[in-house]
Amino acid sequence: KSVLDVACGDGTDGKIYKDMGATYTGVDISEENIRVAKTLDNQSKFLVGRAEDLAFTNESFDLVVSKYAIQSFLDIEKFYKEVRRVLKPGGKFIFLGTHPTRQFIEKNKVSKDYFKSEIVASTIFNGKIKLEEPSHTFNEYLSAQFLKDFDLRSFVEKEEFPGADRIGEDNYPCFFIVESVKR
């Protein structure tokens, strides 16, 4: 199987896929991440690139994965179109993103609007890393176009993930995982 990891970071997840017998390709917007990935793994293919404009031919991959990146995209639909284009018929698409409820809580305003997209500041790893990402709703993640192009196979939401700074004492979902198959 051929795997494309969108926003692959330093490519460390590639080892998991390669251990299962897959060919692994990583793409990331960060030149530094790709440089590090190439030094850690000189057998896989790594490219600098944007998720919304993937430099691959149509129907190139059996599986597209993306971890903690989709919430940073301004145009999620454009990303979905690219994933659909590069996936083989019946190929799987799995992504993990920051839960919209967490982003809603992070808006840190007296009067919040879940449906209004705005840049949300958050911190991870005990305040060591600060992020600024646009907020999204589940209507965006599971849009009519997404459901037209992909069959939803699994949806999971979880309350904890390593490195996430908790906000207050409330219990809320921090991330979600979607598994789908190209129609």
Side-chain angles (χ1 to χ4, degrees):
K1 300 286 182 177
S2 54
V3 176
L4 173 61
D5 187 352
V6 178
C8 67
D10 66 5
T12 54
D13 287 349
K15 182 175 179 354
I16 298 166
Y17 299 107
K18 289 179 3 184
D19 286 349
M20 294 188 304
T23 59
Y24 177 80
T25 301
V27 63
D28 199 282
I29 197 167
S30 166
E31 290 180 21
E32 177 64 15
N33 279 344
I34 295 301
R35 186 191 63 72
V36 171
K38 287 178 177 179
T39 62
L40 296 174
D41 178 358
N42 61 5
Q43 296 174 333
S44 297
K45 183 177 180 180
F46 293 99
L47 298 169
V48 175
R50 296 180 48 78
E52 302 92 336
D53 189 24
L54 298 170
F56 304 102
T57 59
N58 296 350
E59 300 181 354
S60 300
F61 298 96
D62 297 297
L63 171 64
V64 174
V65 296
S66 185
K67 194 166 78 173
Y68 289 120
I70 194 167
Q71 71 276 353
S72 65
F73 303 153
L74 291 172
D75 190 346
I76 293 172
E77 290 290 330
K78 193 169 182 183
F79 171 55
Y80 288 159
K81 287 177 186 173
E82 280 296 278
V83 170
R84 186 176 196 297
R85 182 183 66 75
V86 301
L87 263 179
K88 293 177 182 177
K92 281 190 176 184
F93 173 35
I94 301 171
F95 64 91
L96 180 152
T98 300
H99 200 285
T101 300
R102 180 180 169 91
Q103 286 187 317
F104 177 73
I105 293 168
E106 288 175 324
K107 286 185 177 184
N108 287 327
K109 294 181 177 179
V110 174
S111 178
K112 302 175 194 174
D113 186 347
Y114 171 82
F115 297 99
K116 181 181 178 189
S117 181
E118 54 190 301
I119 300 300
V120 176
S122 61
T123 62
I124 57 176
F125 297 106
N126 295 318
K128 293 177 185 166
I129 297 176
K130 297 187 185 308
L131 305 170
E132 289 190 355
E133 298 171 322
S135 62
H136 296 287
T137 66
F138 274 122
N139 284 336
E140 292 173 79
Y141 290 120
L142 301 176
S143 67
Q145 186 65 48
F146 173 83
L147 295 172
K148 179 182 169 217
D149 291 340
F150 300 94
D151 287 326
L152 183 62
R153 294 292 167 94
S154 175
F155 174 84
V156 176
E157 54 186 355
K158 294 286 186 173
E159 56 197 61
E160 295 288 335
F161 64 91
D165 295 349
R166 297 297 294 175
I167 304 166
E169 300 298 320
D170 296 330
N171 188 30
Y172 54 88
C174 289
F175 70 94
F176 67 97
I177 303 168
V178 169
E179 178 185 348
S180 62
V181 174
K182 178 182 173 179
R183 288 188 172 190

